[in-house]
Amino acid sequence: MAVIKTENLTYIYGEGTPFEKKAVDDVSLEIYEGEMVGVIGHTGSGKSTLIQHFNGLLKPSAGSVYIDGEKLWEDKARLREIRFKVGLVFQYPEYQLFEETCYKDIAFGPKNMGLDEAETDRRIRETAQMVGLKSELLDKSPFELSGGQKRRVAIAGVMAMKPKVLILDEPASGLDPKGREQILSLLKEYHQATKSTVMIVSHSMEDVARYADRILVMNKSKLFCLDTTEKVFHRSEELSSMGLSVPQITRVFNRLKIMGVIPERDVYTTPYALKLVLGELGKE
Amino acid sequence: MIKDITIGQYFPGISPVHRMDPRVKIILTAVFIVMLFVADSIWGLIVGAAFTLVSFMISRIPLKLMFKSLKPILPIIIFTGVLNLFFIKSGDVYFHWKIFTITSEGVRTAIFMAVRIICLIIGTSLLTYTTSPIDLTDAIERLLSPLKKIKVPVHELAMMMTIALRFIPTLIEETDKIMSAQKARGADMETGSLMKRAKALIPILVPLFVSSFRRAEELALAMECRCYHGGEGRTRMKQLRMTVLDGYACFYTAAFFACVIAVNILI
């Protein structure tokens, strides 16, 4: 069963004012349990607005959202439960840290859920380990940590609620290449360990190609496609016509195919490319 | 959503009133206020009201906005009206019951004061409707600049005001974002006792303060990088310039003022 489903979802900013703008236009999609989905799209294409509907932060102007088969906004009191089910990590989440210690900050979500002390403690230690925070850091103030560590604390704060779906808006933006790599691979590990659904909004085609099972492409407020990675990157001409690109390695191999050097065309990760090239060399 | 709150009430446009020099606008608004208080008969006040209405027409601001600006002060108008109606005891008695007396003088003063307050509000809100907050602070700075002689930090005050105005939308956006983020972690801001709700604000206020300080530091650094060192010898990209238009505006106001004085003398 689809864990997230939308039907003709439309959202208009500033409805009824001269500044009216359609941010999400007639989007119908289904996200299945246990998937890792990458969300890509140009700046202002409606990605962030779309994901804020999945945990009831925004109310659709038209259409509906179902989480686990339950229609949102039918009963406003249920929204809080939904937010524990669908964890949303905003862009630059380190700016929302507020407690004196990292421990207390991670505890904010579980406490709001009404969990008891022992369970909260267990979850904090578990998620801290998952995001690679050393236990001695838990008693430090989040404001003393480095940018990358702060981000881990913030992500742990959402993970500790053990949501069925974890959605992250640009979790790796503003980090150095090493930090990016670490954050993304810890998300992959989290995905594999918990078997939960993970959605990652990203600008980097390379990252999406490496980590996602399926890719959701937004273009000018509309859903362009939601399909497997191979199929999405197969449409490289269409993607580049809307200002998006395919991974660099895919571009290289597309060109190689045109030149007739290598038969394969759908290459989108470096490890796979390496294997392919080594295979070709082996033949000779 | 919190974003919908309008800050200031500037209504962009290209009417002659919009294009006037903001300094002249402020001075003429002051003259207008004096005019309303100089008028001491109904006829004088009608001239003042006509001035307000004609100015409003010229500015091409929707009439709806004029009523909107009146709404918050409606209770004050009614309150002063009622007070004047019952507590002025001179003139012919129209109505008498126990301690309540309505006299001709009372009715006259009640209407007079109500019209005066309404004109006052409409006239002054015309200034804020047609002038952007930044132009307004610019003009205030220039008008107050003589005070520099007595060591009032006019430029600094104006700069602070400009920066504050500039960052209001940014802060609103930031607050919105932090609120959403905390709501996503299950923060509950809408239910519970007053104490509980006040406590629920901590997760929003702390990050907001932290980011404001960070922003302030960054801004200070950026200003220093561009060699900002206070108002001494500083020139402006957008010079305030008086044009023929301002001359017309002064003439127009003076004409109405003269009318009011003439009415006062004649009637």
Side-chain angles (χ1 to χ4, degrees), chain A residues 11 13 52 55 57-58 80 83-84 88 90 95-98 105 108-109 112 143 157-158 161, chain B residues 1 3-4 174 177-188 202-203 206-208 210 214:
Chain A
Y11 186 80
Y13 274 114
Q52 285 185 59
N55 70 344
L57 278 175
L58 292 179
R80 235 176 127 220
R83 288 182 190 147
F84 299 133
L88 182 57
F90 277 81
Y95 293 144
Q96 45 171 290
L97 300 174
F98 68 97
D105 211 290
F108 185 67
N112 283 332
F143 300 107
V158 176
M161 305 194 300
Chain B
M1 210 178 239
K3 240 185 237 163
D4 299 337
E174 183 96 19
K177 229 192 243 161
I178 296 170
M179 264 168 89
S180 297
Q182 306 300 26
K183 268 197 210 156
R185 293 208 278 166
D188 183 10
I202 294 173
V206 173
L208 198 60
V210 172
R214 187 172 40 86

Side-chain angles (χ1 to χ4, degrees), chain A residues 24-80:
Chain A
V24 174
D25 190 3
D26 197 22
V27 170
S28 302
L29 55 83
E30 286 189 5
I31 307 287
Y32 305 108
E33 221 168 315
E35 282 194 289
M36 191 140 178
V37 179
V39 182
I40 57 176
H42 217 260
T43 311
S45 62
K47 304 172 296 226
S48 299
T49 313
L50 178 70
I51 58 170
Q52 285 185 59
H53 282 92
F54 296 160
N55 70 344
L57 278 175
L58 292 179
K59 188 178 179 177
S61 304
S64 40
V65 182
Y66 299 86
I67 300 297
D68 247 355
E70 182 185 343
K71 191 173 175 187
L72 297 195
W73 295 99
E74 292 262 273
D75 176 9
K76 262 185 104 174
R78 292 273 308 143
L79 281 177
R80 235 176 127 220

Side-chain angles (χ1 to χ4, degrees), chain B residues 92-113:
Chain B
D92 307 326
V93 176
Y94 287 154
F95 175 83
H96 186 83
W97 180 71
K98 287 190 182 162
I99 56 161
F100 299 107
T101 328
I102 294 178
T103 64
S104 58
E105 192 60 22
V107 172
R108 204 189 78 89
T109 318
I111 295 173
F112 198 77
M113 282 312 280

Side-chain angles (χ1 to χ4, degrees), chain A residues 239-259:
Chain A
L239 285 178
S240 52
S241 78
M242 55 183 154
L244 294 170
S245 63
V246 293
Q248 277 179 352
I249 197 80
T250 310
R251 258 180 285 161
V252 171
F253 275 77
N254 283 354
R255 182 94 189 114
L256 282 177
K257 197 200 164 190
I258 293 167
M259 288 163 67

